[in-house]
């Protein structure tokens, strides 16, 4: 067997296992890459209090030390970022990634968890724009996040998405994927890909009453692993969309509050369990 490709996630722990590093590492394993995680926050949810989220940041120096460890082995073939707690941590990550321009970076600009109304504080959005967007090989905002990053506010249509994609591209991301998801009207979940020259639309049927917690993290992690394995960006995005669609179809109700995707859905649809 040839040596595995290394993939790195710089993200939070979702203690319920659907999103964050749990989603990323499981997805990396499904793709057959060797996953490494640098933890940025610990997110816990309170079953006694309507599943309200509590996010504990990891100290910036510890985030830096984890990245030093992660980069001390063979070259990392692709890296991704997820939930980041504050500008200091975002900056430390950007500084470290600048030292590794050979590693493509997928930025998932996580701003809010599904079902939570608290939006990340504005300083974090500014830090993302300033430090990470310019380093992104691919950035994967949902409609809300694309509205924030582009400063256009709420996006409602494909034309809005195109305008936002151009603005985010102009801030330095080399490829922008805006996930229309179920928020955009119509029967299909439409994603818009923009490489600075042309727009590509990727569609999949919306999955009714999907258990979709962790879908965004899983999508970005699947793109990361696809790039690590040598797929070109648009192929990696297409494959990731199939992967996440089947993970959503295999999703389940964890409890009355949350239904995660099942990250092994794509493989289990093709082969039986071990
Ligand atoms: O789905 C967004 C997300 C990302 N990362 C972590 C999370 C969540 C939502 O719960 O907990 C760690």
């Amino acid at each position: 067997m040839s040596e595995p490709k290394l993939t790195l996630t710089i993200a939070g722990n979702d203690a319920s296992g659907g999103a964050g590093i749990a989603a990323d590492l499981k997805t990396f394993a499904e793709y057959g890459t060797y996953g490494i995680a640098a933890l940025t926050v610990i997110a816990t949810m309170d079953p006694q209090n309507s599943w309200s989220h509590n996010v504990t940041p990891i100290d910036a120096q510890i985030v830096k030390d984890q990245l030093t460890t992660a980069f001390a082995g063979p070259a990392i073939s692709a890296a991704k970022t997820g939930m980041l707690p504050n500008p200091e941590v975002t900056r430390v990550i950007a500084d470290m990634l600048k030292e590794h321009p050979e590693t493509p970076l997928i930025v998932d600009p996580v701003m809010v968890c599904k079902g939570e109304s608290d939006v990340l504080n504005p300083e974090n959005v500014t830090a993302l724009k300033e430090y990470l967007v310019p380093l992104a090989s691919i950035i994967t905002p949902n409609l809300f996040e694309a509205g924030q990053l582009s400063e256009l506010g709420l996006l409602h249509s494909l034309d809005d998405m195109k305008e936002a994609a151009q603005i985010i591209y102009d801030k330095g991301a080399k490829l922008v994927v805006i996930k229309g998801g179920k928020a955009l009207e119509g029967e299909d979940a439409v994603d818009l890909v923009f490489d600075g020259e042309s727009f590509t639309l990727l569609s999949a049927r919306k999955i009714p009453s999907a258990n979709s917690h962790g879908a965004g993290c899983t999508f970005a992690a699947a793109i990361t692993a696809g790039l690590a394995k040598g797929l070109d960006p648009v192929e990696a995005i297409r494959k990731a969309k199939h992967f996440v669609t089947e993970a959503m179809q295999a999703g389940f109700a964890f409890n009355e509050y949350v239904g995660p995707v099942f990250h092994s859905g794509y493989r289990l649809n093709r082969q039986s369990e071990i």
Side-chain angles (χ1 to χ4, degrees), residues 11-15 19-21 41 43 45 53 82-83 110 112-114 213-214 216-217:
N13 184 40
D14 162 12
I21 60 164
V41 305
M45 297 84 193
H53 290 43
M83 185 186 278
V110 176
V112 63
C113 294
K114 279 200 189 71
H213 174 68
C217 303

Side-chain angles (χ1 to χ4, degrees), residues 14 16 45-53 113-116 182 210-214 252-260:
D14 162 12
S16 74
M45 297 84 193
D46 185 357
Q48 315 291 1
N49 186 18
S50 313
W51 209 241
S52 72
H53 290 43
C113 294
K114 279 200 189 71
E116 282 288 284
K182 61 174 184 240
N211 291 308
S212 62
H213 174 68
F252 65 102
F254 181 81
N255 60 20
E256 63 183 293
Y257 301 111
V258 68

Side-chain angles (χ1 to χ4, degrees), residues 66-87:
Q66 293 176 83
L67 293 174
T68 302
T69 310
F71 278 107
I76 293 179
S77 296
K80 77 170 278 271
T81 57
M83 185 186 278
L84 307 175
N86 53 48

Side-chain angles (χ1 to χ4, degrees), residues 28-69:
F28 291 165
E30 291 296 329
Y31 269 73
T33 70
Y34 179 94
I36 301 179
L39 194 65
T40 54
V41 305
I42 299 172
T44 55
M45 297 84 193
D46 185 357
Q48 315 291 1
N49 186 18
S50 313
W51 209 241
S52 72
H53 290 43
N54 186 33
V55 174
T56 305
I58 303 295
D59 187 78
Q61 182 63 45
I62 298 176
V63 174
K64 187 174 178 187
D65 292 347
Q66 293 176 83
L67 293 174
T68 302
T69 310

